[in-house]
């Protein structure tokens, strides 16, 4: 298969590109290397994918460009069978400071992808959405029928993007699926995420910092489970036109998570607390029964197993990754 991964040098996109190359597909990555976080992480991802391609049957090509450039997007979409649209301006808190950039990238960039795809015989567009579309919970776990009332510009932009994808599926007969990710973590994740900070600080004998009182809960999803959900959509069409939760169902209090990482790595440390941001969600918890019914999605990594895997990776790649966490 020929596959375009937008944002394919980023965290989730990079793991997808690597998996597709390993599986023998021909992969084109579009990424603008936005310095939202240190681009050296993306450079490591690109190098890893190139090494995988050199040692197997798949191919890998990097195009430095932006999804806001409709001409570049159209040219690349024309060449491929599938589009995995992972490119986005990430970050709930920064979206409060610059909401128009989130609209430009996440909404207009998505429309460029969808417009290009509907003019070709593309097999499927798979869009990365977010649990941030739900906003304040009316009930938990979130199922896809839960009201979508995002409380941040980031969440609003992701909701608009997925609604466009689903409407294009309806009115243009474009096979498109929106996957609502729930707090994805794992190797090479953004260095300013809670898990990377907890692990880094504990390994350096510094107290983990919790924002708020720590009673907020998160449905942390290991990146390998997210990759499996995406790979399934190369062959499965049952979710076309749908928005689908991709979570772990295994939610945990932030305070408990910090304590468990602390207890594993540096049990003598105490937790520190700082003021939380108003745009941060109180709770996330995914009902994944729809994903299970449509695409057979079954996450296999618990939060405790995933944190152990991430910690082991962190120890092995500490020399280049840790400085980026400390400077984030």
């Amino acid at each position: 298969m020929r596959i375009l991964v937008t944002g394919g040098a980023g965290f989730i996109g990079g793991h997808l590109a690597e998996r597709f190359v390993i599986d023998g597909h021909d992969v084109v990555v579009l990424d603008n290397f936005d310095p939202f976080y240190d681009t050296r992480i993306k450079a490591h991802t690109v190098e890893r994918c190139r090494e995988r391609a050199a040692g197997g049957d798949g191919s890998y090509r990097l195009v430095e460009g932006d999804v806001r450039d409709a001409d570049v997007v159209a040219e690349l979409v024309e060449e491929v069978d599938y589009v995995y649209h992972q490119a986005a301006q990430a970050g709930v808190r920064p979206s409060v400071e610059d909401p128009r950039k989130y609209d430009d990238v996440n909404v207009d960039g998505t429309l460029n992808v969808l417009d290009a795809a509907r003019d070709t015989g593309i097999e499927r567009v798979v869009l990365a959405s977010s649990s941030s579309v739900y906003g304040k919970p009316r009930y938990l776990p979130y199922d896809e029928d839960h009201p979508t009332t995002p409380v941040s510009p980031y969440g609003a932009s992701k909701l608009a993007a997925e609604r466009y994808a689903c409407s294009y599926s309806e009115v243009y007969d474009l096979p498109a699926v929106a996957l609502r990710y729930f707090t994805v973590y794992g190797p090479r994740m953004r260095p300013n995420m809670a898990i990377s900070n907890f692990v880094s600080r504990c390994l350096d004998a510094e107290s983990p910092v919790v924002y708020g009182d720590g009673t907020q809960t998160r449905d942390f999803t290991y990146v390998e489970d997210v990759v499996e959900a995406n790979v399934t959509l190369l062959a499965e069409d049952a979710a076309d036109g749908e928005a689908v939760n991709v979570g772990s169902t295994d939610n945990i209090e932030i305070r408990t998570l910090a304590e468990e990482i602390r207890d594993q790595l540096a049990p003598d440390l105490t937790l520190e607390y700082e003021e939380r941001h108003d745009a941060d969600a109180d709770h996330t918890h995914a009902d994944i029964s729809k994903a299970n019914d449509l695409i057979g999605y079954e996450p296999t990594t618990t939060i405790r197993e995933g944190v152990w895997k991430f910690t082991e990776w962190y120890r092995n790649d500490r020399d280049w990754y840790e400085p980026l966490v400390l400077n984030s």
Side-chain angles (χ1 to χ4, degrees):
M1 299 292 184
R2 300 170 300 168
I3 303 172
L4 171 64
V5 184
T6 70
F11 170 42
I12 300 173
H15 280 273
L16 282 174
E18 181 181 358
R19 171 63 182 273
F20 291 143
V21 168
I22 290 171
D23 289 348
H25 300 298
D26 297 319
V27 177
V28 178
V29 160
L30 175 66
D31 203 291
N32 70 349
F33 288 80
D34 185 285
F36 178 68
Y37 60 89
D38 199 305
T39 56
R40 283 175 289 179
I41 297 178
K42 291 189 172 186
H44 277 270
T45 295
V46 170
E47 184 60 28
R48 184 177 177 89
C49 289
R50 284 174 171 158
E51 290 174 356
R52 296 290 195 179
D57 297 328
S59 67
Y60 179 86
R61 177 163 68 100
L62 172 67
V63 176
E64 292 194 42
D66 200 304
V67 292
R68 290 172 288 185
D69 187 331
D71 291 336
V72 169
V73 170
E75 179 181 342
L76 296 179
V77 170
E78 182 71 31
E79 301 175 0
V80 300
D81 306 305
Y82 291 84
V83 177
Y84 281 79
H85 181 42
Q86 306 296 305
Q89 187 64 44
V92 169
R93 297 176 190 177
S95 75
V96 177
E97 305 300 323
D98 190 8
R100 285 199 175 271
K101 184 175 184 181
Y102 285 75
D103 184 76
D104 289 344
V105 177
N106 298 353
V107 183
D108 289 344
T110 298
L111 281 170
N112 286 339
V113 171
L114 294 172
D115 282 337
R118 75 183 176 98
D119 292 332
T120 69
I122 206 81
E123 295 286 344
R124 184 163 295 105
V125 175
V126 182
L127 169 75
S129 187
S130 167
S131 61
S132 293
V133 303
Y134 290 115
K136 295 183 182 297
R138 305 275 183 90
Y139 56 85
L140 290 172
Y142 292 117
D143 58 29
E144 290 82 356
D145 292 326
H146 187 284
T148 48
T149 54
V151 296
S152 68
Y154 169 75
S157 71
K158 297 302 281 186
L159 179 60
E162 73 165 47
R163 290 297 88 204
Y164 272 121
C166 292
S167 67
Y168 270 52
S169 186
E170 179 70 25
V171 300
Y172 301 118
D173 199 27
L174 171 66
V177 181
L179 299 181
R180 292 174 175 169
Y181 298 151
F182 281 70
T183 317
V184 186
Y185 71 102
R188 305 194 305 274
M189 67 178 163
R190 284 204 334 254
N192 61 347
M193 302 294 283
I195 291 174
S196 52
N197 273 287
F198 293 162
V199 170
S200 173
R201 292 182 69 86
C202 287
L203 287 175
D204 288 326
E206 297 179 0
S207 295
V209 177
V210 175
Y211 293 92
D213 63 6
T215 59
Q216 312 96 296
T217 60
R218 291 291 181 273
D219 191 328
F220 288 100
T221 313
Y222 196 62
V223 67
E224 289 178 1
D225 288 326
V226 170
V227 167
E228 290 300 326
N230 279 274
V231 169
T232 300
L233 293 170
L234 285 174
E236 180 58 72
D237 64 1
D240 287 350
E242 301 287 343
V244 180
N245 289 341
V246 175
S248 72
T249 75
D250 185 28
N251 71 333
I252 188 172
E253 280 194 351
I254 298 295
R255 178 176 58 195
T256 301
L257 175 64
E259 289 171 344
E260 293 198 4
I261 292 174
R262 184 271 317 272
D263 291 346
Q264 286 184 26
L265 302 179
D268 293 335
L269 296 176
T270 58
L271 302 187
E272 293 182 4
Y273 293 86
E274 293 186 4
E275 185 175 355
R276 62 168 294 190
H277 196 283
D278 289 341
D280 290 344
D282 290 322
H283 306 284
T284 66
H285 190 194
D287 180 333
I288 61 166
S289 56
K290 182 176 179 179
N292 180 263
D293 290 343
L294 294 179
I295 63 173
Y297 173 66
E298 293 184 3
T300 61
T301 306
T302 68
I303 180 62
R304 290 159 182 85
E305 292 168 341
V307 167
W308 180 84
K309 288 182 180 181
F310 175 75
T311 302
E312 290 304 299
W313 172 85
Y314 194 111
R315 292 183 192 273
N316 292 330
D317 286 69
R318 189 175 182 179
D319 58 333
W320 69 268
Y321 183 74
E322 184 174 65
L324 310 185
V325 177
L326 297 177
N327 292 329
S328 65

